Amino acid sequence: MTTMTPNSTPITREYISQLFELPFMDLLLKAQTIHREHFNANEVQISTLLSIKTGNCPEDCGYCSQSGHHRDKTKLQAEKRLEVDKVLAAARRAKASGSSRFCMGAAWKHPSKKDMPYVAELIREVKALGMETCMTLGMLDAEQSAQLAEAGLDYYNHNLDTSRRYYDEVVSTRSYDDRLDTIENVRNAGINVCSGSIVGMGETREDRVDWVYELASMPVPPESIPVNLLVPIKGTPLGDKVLSEGELPVLEWIRTIAVTRICCPKSYVRLSAGRESLSDSEQALAFMAGANSFFYGDKLLTTGNASQSNDDRLMAQLGLTASKAEPSVVPVTNAMSGSRSHLQKI
Ligand code: SAM
Ligand code: DTB
Ligand code: SF4
């Protein structure tokens, strides 16, 4: 089943490219209108992240502080697997502060056989607290995906990160097809898919078009789509490149969010890495563009996040409320009314 445009034609790269070219206000109105047809526009889903195994990763992702390939320059201190009790204490704190989902990340190429009982225990125990669970542990085969599904995992995060074309500039130790295989294994195991990208790594708009096309043309697009804005980390190849050549304008990241919302209308679109450096107004525009999820808590995996107190104040100012573990979806009849004819030209 291919995702369709509002005119009921299959989504094409040309359509996505035309969306990117729209005047900013038209693009935002279109994204906000589509958002309201599928979601309560004043409700956001909140997740908290925790790194359960930090650093010395065998992969060479050019943006990542945790790659063992860049550790001489990033000086990131590697850590062993976090004890179950410590993970659960963090999950309890996240729940108490309003998060509905707890997302656990590990700096692995893939989980090893001896890691599987550990991650299965974490899934069971975090679920027992009444939270949704998400994990991001690197590549998974079909058997591992089935084991995580059996333990009750709700979401698995595995990003495409960029277009197939730009991919070789980003990572060499795992292929684009490896990533698609993991996503397919997760999907086949019945786990919800969380898959997104990083924008601002030196890729072109055409690369962003191709990445949206990859998602929108999946048999079922991911339920959750993080649109990370690169956190440029000194000592990583892509961080250093962006720090010397200049960062992508924030409005292009917001455009990417809006286009993602339009092309994957039923997915949660998440503001992920990069929020710490953004103003309130930039984040408000990102929500206007159809983002309806974000990471809450002072830390992401290894880098800082927008502070909880700032997020609480911003949510209050915008009138946003946190959705429960089972997010509510507004029926189409409650959606913003008004003519959409001008939005259906492309
Ligand atoms: N090791 C696992 C993997 O890569 O599959 C999971 C953890 S990894 C850190 C999860 C995602 O975080 C990456 O795919 C990437 O999209 C995002 N990420 C990592 N470093 C980032 C950075 N500096 N800026 C923005 N996003 C980043
Ligand atoms: C995702 O797409 N973004 C999150 C989550 N999935 C695991 C990770 C962001 C990491 C930002 C860099 C860091 O903190 O190390
Ligand atoms: Fe390892 Fe994930 Fe970082 Fe890549 S993004 S180096 S796989 S932790």
Side-chain angles (χ1 to χ4, degrees), residues 105-122:
W108 291 328
K109 186 180 189 69
H110 49 69
S112 68
K113 205 163 180 193
K114 70 175 173 23
D115 294 319
M116 293 306 285
Y118 166 73
V119 295
E121 185 181 357
L122 291 179

Side-chain angles (χ1 to χ4, degrees), residues 49 51 53 57 59 61-66 104-110 135-139 156-162 174 179 182 196-199 201 226-233 236 239 272-274 295 300-303:
L49 257 178
S51 180
K53 159 68 185 77
C57 182
E59 303 289 76
C61 308
Y63 48 76
C64 187
S65 62
Q66 302 202 66
M104 295 159 268
W108 291 328
K109 186 180 189 69
H110 49 69
M135 285 194 157
T136 179
L137 314 171
M139 294 188 279
Y156 194 80
N157 166 245
H158 198 66
N159 292 339
L160 287 178
D161 278 349
T162 189
R174 68 168 64 137
R179 288 185 187 255
T182 292
S197 72
I198 309 177
V199 303
M201 294 193 291
V227 187
N228 295 280
L229 180 60
L230 180 73
V231 178
I233 293 165
T236 62
S272 301
F295 283 120
L300 293 168
L301 292 173
T302 66
T303 62

Side-chain angles (χ1 to χ4, degrees), residues 35-222:
H35 187 188
R36 283 168 183 267
E37 288 171 4
H38 297 276
F39 293 97
N40 179 335
N42 301 310
E43 215 174 73
V44 282
Q45 186 276 325
I46 299 181
S47 301
T48 294
L49 257 178
L50 179 71
S51 180
I52 59 169
K53 159 68 185 77
T54 303
N56 211 11
C57 182
E59 303 289 76
D60 69 353
C61 308
Y63 48 76
C64 187
S65 62
Q66 302 202 66
S67 167
H69 297 255
H70 324 314
R71 73 178 160 193
D72 290 347
K73 289 187 178 164
T74 57
K75 309 269 188 252
L76 184 88
Q77 191 68 44
E79 291 167 23
K80 292 204 179 103
R81 268 180 6 193
L82 213 55
E83 289 97 352
V84 173
D85 284 354
K86 288 191 177 150
V87 178
L88 294 181
R92 280 191 203 96
R93 284 195 297 275
K95 188 180 182 203
S97 60
S99 277
S100 61
R101 191 176 307 159
F102 196 61
C103 181
M104 295 159 268
W108 291 328
K109 186 180 189 69
H110 49 69
S112 68
K113 205 163 180 193
K114 70 175 173 23
D115 294 319
M116 293 306 285
Y118 166 73
V119 295
E121 185 181 357
L122 291 179
I123 294 166
R124 283 192 294 268
E125 296 285 342
V126 172
K127 276 182 86 77
L129 300 176
M131 297 187 85
E132 289 180 328
T133 49
C134 175
M135 285 194 157
T136 179
L137 314 171
M139 294 188 279
L140 293 183
D141 61 25
E143 195 186 335
Q144 290 171 319
S145 305
Q147 287 169 355
L148 296 185
E150 170 72 25
L153 184 67
D154 297 295
Y155 287 81
Y156 194 80
N157 166 245
H158 198 66
N159 292 339
L160 287 178
D161 278 349
T162 189
S163 66
R164 189 181 279 279
R165 185 185 324 102
Y166 195 63
Y167 190 80
D168 289 349
E169 305 291 318
V170 177
V171 48
S172 73
T173 49
R174 68 168 64 137
S175 72
Y176 209 69
D177 287 321
D178 287 337
R179 288 185 187 255
L180 289 166
D181 287 349
T182 292
I183 292 169
E184 197 179 334
N185 290 334
V186 168
R187 172 67 72 211
N188 291 342
I191 300 169
N192 290 304
V193 173
C194 171
S195 183
S197 72
I198 309 177
V199 303
M201 294 193 291
E203 78 287 352
T204 61
R205 183 177 271 184
E206 206 183 342
D207 292 312
R208 293 186 281 278
V209 168
D210 281 4
W211 165 73
V212 176
Y213 181 74
E214 285 283 350
L215 294 189
S217 56
M218 283 178 180
V220 181

